[in-house]
């Protein structure tokens, strides 16, 4: 049974249970969503109607919430006359159903039945539960926009790998992707750029056509609901005070008008760290409060991500208004000014029952008590945050930034950063060894990030994500041994079967032999970094 992620405990018996036209579903209270999902997915692949049945009949899939199990824990039993999926909550039942789908073989992931196909499950009992509560993927749709259907597809791919947090990077210098009705120019102006740098920012190549798009508020509601049906939480990111040129292009008064002519700024068409940041004014605070008011209506998540990363302070140093604000607030420097800016929104979100999370730069200048940290610049930020009592999501760039290249070969498309092989990702350990058990409890989980500067379409995102995202999913879910002791050869054997599932799902993954001809980008320069990444 080549399951990914690896279950905690599996007991196999001789024989199989065969599904036929009469196979139906008994959905106990709280499992109706999983039953509906199975009729839409397994029903499409098999052609079976999967009608409602009661527990006294044969050939039944029994779905039930069972007290005593942890929320995401499940028990899957395939017996000679039926199948039982029990979970500690509706989420646990759903994860058990995902495992059952894998047991049926790759064709269970197709959208229409193949002729002559028989469907059978090995007689088995599986007991399973996740290691972490936060098993996330960040998708950047600001640099290259992914239309709504592509986002829904990615939610299905996350669910198939038992990943349960979708970090939705919606705003950046290169585009604003969410409709804010109070400020229509954010999408009228801020969602489109005139052209796009092709490759790394040092590349001489340009795609000379407009690029952009945005999600309407109804699109967002649909995405959030679709995710919720798959027990995935959508965490939105609205980036402040850096990475904000798209917003400033739409509303120039948000920028440091006493330093630069913000009316001359357009949505940025290249990559890197942008000097044009938000002005630390009351007007800016009120504007973004208006943005977040609408964001909170759209996203019910506990956490709201505010970015906080890569905010150059040069304009604040040159701005008389920013310097006056530092003096007025009794702050020491520009780092404390950023901490004040982030702290304002931490208090604002806390007053509304939400929690702020930001990239680890929000630690600079002091961090508000209730804030959580996405540790991306290695492990150090996460260690510091956990020791200070802040919750942490571990997503170090050197380990789980999947935009980094997968191999040192010359054919890798637009190679960025360090080589992070499939095995490297499989041996990634989210909890730093130097944390005490009490400190380690602040590690909510882990997240892989997909930054899309050099991923111009869905196929490029697929290539960078898979199969490494399958390895990451196992790290996030399964209770694996220490990195050096992990059975990577065993994972590779299971992955050989998993490629069939990815094929059925239409995923343009990187083959183990290297990129296919159409996956290459000859002549498009990247920025490869040689040597092993620093482990810090």
């Amino acid at each position: 049974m080549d399951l990914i992620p690896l279950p905690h405990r599996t007991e196999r018996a001789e024989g199989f249970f065969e599904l036929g036209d009469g196979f139906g579903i008994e959905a106990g209270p709280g499992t109706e969503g999983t039953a509906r999902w199975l009729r839409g997915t397994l029903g499409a692949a098999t052609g079976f109607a999967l009608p409602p049945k009661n527990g006294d009949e044969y050939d039944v899939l029994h779905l039930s919430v069972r007290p005593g199990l942890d929320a995401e824990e499940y028990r899957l039993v395939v017996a000679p006359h039926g199948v039982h999926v029990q979970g500690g909550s509706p989420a646990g039942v759903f994860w058990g159903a995902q495992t059952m789908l894998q047991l049926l073989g790759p064709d269970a992931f197709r959208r229409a039945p193949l002729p002559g196909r028989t469907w059978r499950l090995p007689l088995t009992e599986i007991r399973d539960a996740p290691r972490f509560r936060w098993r996330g993927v960040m998708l950047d749709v600001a640099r290259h926009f992914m239309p709504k259907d592509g986002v829904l597809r990615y939610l299905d791919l996350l669910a198939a790998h038992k990943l349960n947090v979708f970090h939705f990077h919606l705003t950046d210098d290169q585009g604003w992707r969410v409709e804010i009705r109070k400020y229509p120019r954010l999408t009228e102006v801020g969602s489109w750029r005139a052209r796009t740098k092709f490759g790394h920012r040092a590349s001489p190549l340009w795609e000379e056509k407009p690029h952009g798009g945005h999600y309407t508020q109804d699109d967002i509601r649909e995405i959030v609901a679709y995710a919720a049906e798959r027990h995935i939480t959508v965490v939105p990111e609205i980036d402040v005070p850096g990475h904000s040129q798209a917003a400033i292009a739409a509303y120039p008064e948000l920028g440091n008008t006493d330093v630069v002519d913000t009316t001359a700024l357009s949505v940025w068409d290249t990559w890197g760290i942008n000097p044009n940041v938000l002005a630390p004014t009351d007007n800016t605070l009120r504007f973004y409060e208006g943005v977040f008011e609408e964001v909170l209506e759209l996203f019910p998540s506990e956490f709201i991500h505010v970015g906080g990363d890569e905010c150059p302070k040069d304009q604040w140093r040159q701005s008389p208004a920013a310097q006056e604000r530092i003096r007025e607030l009794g702050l020491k420097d520009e780092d404390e000014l950023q901490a004040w800016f982030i702290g304002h929104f931490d208090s604002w979100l806390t007053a509304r029952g939400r929690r702020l999370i930001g990239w680890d730069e929000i630690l600079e200048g002091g961090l508000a008590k209730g804030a959580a940290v996405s540790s991306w610049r290695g492990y150090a930020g996460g260690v510091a945050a956990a020791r200070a009592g802040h919750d942490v999501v571990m997503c170090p760039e050197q380990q789980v930034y999947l935009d980094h290249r997968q191999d040192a070969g010359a054919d890798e498309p637009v190679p960025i950063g360090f080589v992070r092989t499939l095995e490297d990702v499989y041996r990634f350990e989210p909890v730093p060894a130097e944390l005490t058990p009490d400190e380690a409890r602040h590690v909510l989980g882990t997240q892989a990030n997909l930054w899309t500067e050099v991923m111009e379409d869905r196929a490029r995102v697929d290539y960078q994500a898979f199969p490494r995202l399958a390895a990451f999913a196992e790290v996030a879910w399964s209770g694996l041994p220490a990195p050096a002791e992990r059975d990577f050869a065993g994972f590779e054997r299971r992955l050989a079967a998993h490629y069939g599932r990815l094929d059925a799902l239409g995923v343009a993954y990187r083959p183990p032999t290297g990129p296919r001809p159409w996956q290459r980008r000859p002549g498009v320069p990247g920025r490869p970094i040689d040597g092993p990444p620093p482990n810090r």
Side-chain angles (χ1 to χ4, degrees):
M1 295 184 294
D2 299 310
L3 299 174
I4 292 177
L6 185 69
H8 174 67
R9 179 181 168 189
T10 302
E11 295 180 10
R12 175 76 165 91
E14 291 295 324
F16 293 87
F17 170 78
E18 189 164 316
L19 284 64
D21 287 337
F23 188 66
I25 300 175
E26 180 194 27
T31 71
E32 298 86 355
T34 296
R36 183 168 56 248
W37 174 79
L38 281 167
R39 290 189 178 103
T41 53
L42 183 57
T46 61
F48 299 156
L50 306 178
K53 286 198 169 185
N54 63 59
D56 297 328
E57 299 178 79
Y58 290 124
D59 295 340
V60 178
L61 169 60
H62 308 268
L63 304 176
S64 60
V65 174
R66 178 184 174 187
L69 299 177
D70 290 340
E72 292 190 282
E73 184 178 0
Y74 70 87
R75 182 174 176 232
L76 168 62
V77 179
V78 182
H81 300 297
V83 183
H84 298 261
V85 177
Q86 301 170 332
S89 72
V93 175
F94 181 74
W95 302 133
Q98 287 282 5
T99 297
M100 185 191 75
L101 210 65
Q102 287 198 18
L103 288 174
L104 284 166
D107 289 340
F109 293 86
R110 297 189 181 277
R111 296 186 183 182
L114 300 183
R117 183 71 166 84
T118 59
W119 300 95
R120 62 182 194 170
L121 291 163
L123 301 184
T124 188
E125 179 175 344
I126 295 174
R127 296 172 183 246
D128 201 10
R131 179 184 179 190
F132 293 112
R133 60 171 275 204
W134 186 300
R135 306 180 302 279
V137 174
M138 190 285 306
L139 179 64
D140 166 21
V141 296
R143 272 51 177 267
H144 278 100
F145 179 64
M146 181 177 286
K148 181 191 67 178
D149 286 352
V151 174
L152 299 179
R153 171 181 176 267
Y154 251 83
L155 290 170
D156 280 328
L157 294 176
L158 265 61
H161 292 82
K162 299 185 176 69
L163 296 163
N164 70 340
V165 176
F166 179 60
H167 175 170
F168 207 7
H169 184 81
L170 289 163
T171 73
D172 217 294
D173 298 303
Q174 295 85 1
W176 185 285
R177 304 293 179 220
V178 56
E179 176 190 18
I180 302 297
R181 290 174 177 167
K182 188 173 183 180
Y183 305 120
R185 286 176 58 83
L186 286 172
T187 47
E188 291 171 358
V189 174
S191 70
W192 293 93
R193 58 180 182 261
R195 64 176 187 169
T196 299
K197 176 68 73 171
F198 197 24
H200 183 256
R201 63 179 174 271
S203 166
L205 305 176
W206 294 88
E207 185 179 40
E208 297 285 354
K209 69 176 184 179
H211 176 87
H214 73 277
Y215 310 103
T216 68
Q217 293 202 354
D218 282 344
D219 290 338
I220 293 292
R221 292 185 181 98
E222 179 184 356
I223 289 167
V224 169
Y226 194 87
E229 288 181 351
R230 288 147 183 80
H231 301 279
I232 296 170
T233 299
V234 182
V235 174
E237 180 179 355
I238 305 295
D239 218 331
V240 296
H243 288 291
S244 297
Q245 184 162 318
I248 297 169
Y251 291 92
E253 65 271 21
L254 297 173
N256 294 284
T257 57
D258 54 352
V259 177
V260 295
D261 178 9
T262 56
T263 64
L265 296 177
S266 59
V267 177
W268 213 26
D269 57 11
T270 189
W271 321 123
I273 298 176
N274 190 309
N276 295 301
V277 303
L278 297 175
T281 64
D282 289 340
N283 174 67
T284 301
L285 297 181
R286 300 293 88 78
F287 182 97
Y288 273 87
E289 286 171 2
V291 169
F292 281 117
E293 282 171 359
E294 296 191 28
V295 167
L296 296 191
E297 290 177 1
L298 296 170
F299 296 93
S301 55
E302 175 187 3
F303 288 96
I304 303 294
H305 208 291
V306 301
D309 61 314
E310 297 180 329
C311 178
K313 310 297 193 300
D314 294 343
Q315 289 186 358
W316 288 354
R317 292 186 186 97
Q318 299 166 26
S319 165
Q323 293 302 309
E324 176 58 30
R325 174 123 291 188
I326 289 173
R327 288 190 292 273
E328 169 192 312
L329 296 170
L331 304 177
K332 183 173 65 177
D333 56 20
E334 290 77 17
D335 284 344
E336 288 195 358
L337 183 61
Q338 177 168 340
W340 165 81
F341 195 104
I342 297 297
H344 173 87
F345 287 103
D346 179 63
S347 300
W348 190 91
L349 289 167
T350 299
R352 288 154 181 81
R354 307 296 186 95
R355 294 183 64 187
L356 179 145
I357 185 168
W359 303 109
D360 55 53
E361 285 96 331
I362 67 174
L363 289 163
E364 298 166 4
L367 180 56
K369 184 176 181 181
V373 171
S374 300
S375 185
W376 77 274
R377 295 180 298 176
Y379 289 97
V383 169
R387 285 177 173 167
H390 295 286
D391 288 339
V392 178
V393 175
M394 296 302 301
C395 50
E397 174 187 19
Q398 303 90 335
Q399 311 297 330
V400 288
Y401 267 38
L402 300 186
D403 46 301
H404 282 214
R405 58 191 173 135
Q406 305 182 62
D407 189 88
D411 286 335
E412 287 303 307
V414 199
I416 298 295
F418 298 102
V419 173
R420 291 287 83 193
T421 66
L422 179 68
E423 183 172 0
D424 291 330
V425 174
Y426 193 69
R427 297 194 189 280
F428 163 60
E429 173 49 49
V431 179
E434 59 263 46
L435 294 181
T436 67
D438 283 344
E439 292 166 347
R441 277 192 276 273
H442 284 290
V443 179
L444 300 177
T446 184
Q447 180 172 293
N449 294 339
L450 287 158
W451 299 103
T452 62
E453 287 94 335
V454 299
M455 298 184 219
E456 73 276 12
D457 56 28
R458 190 176 83 175
R460 280 286 290 123
V461 176
D462 279 5
Y463 180 91
Q464 293 300 132
F466 290 99
R468 292 185 296 181
L469 197 60
F472 173 80
E474 187 148 309
V475 169
W477 176 279
S478 306
L480 298 177
E485 300 168 10
R486 292 177 188 172
D487 182 10
F488 178 68
F491 173 76
E492 281 193 306
R493 285 192 296 272
R494 286 181 286 119
L495 188 61
H498 196 65
Y499 284 129
R501 300 180 192 123
L502 297 179
D503 286 332
L505 288 163
V507 176
Y509 58 86
R510 181 189 188 276
T513 54
R516 297 178 176 94
W518 60 267
Q519 291 174 320
R520 300 168 189 162
R521 295 292 184 273
V524 182
R527 183 176 174 263
I529 304 175
D530 293 329
N535 189 14
R536 53 178 171 83

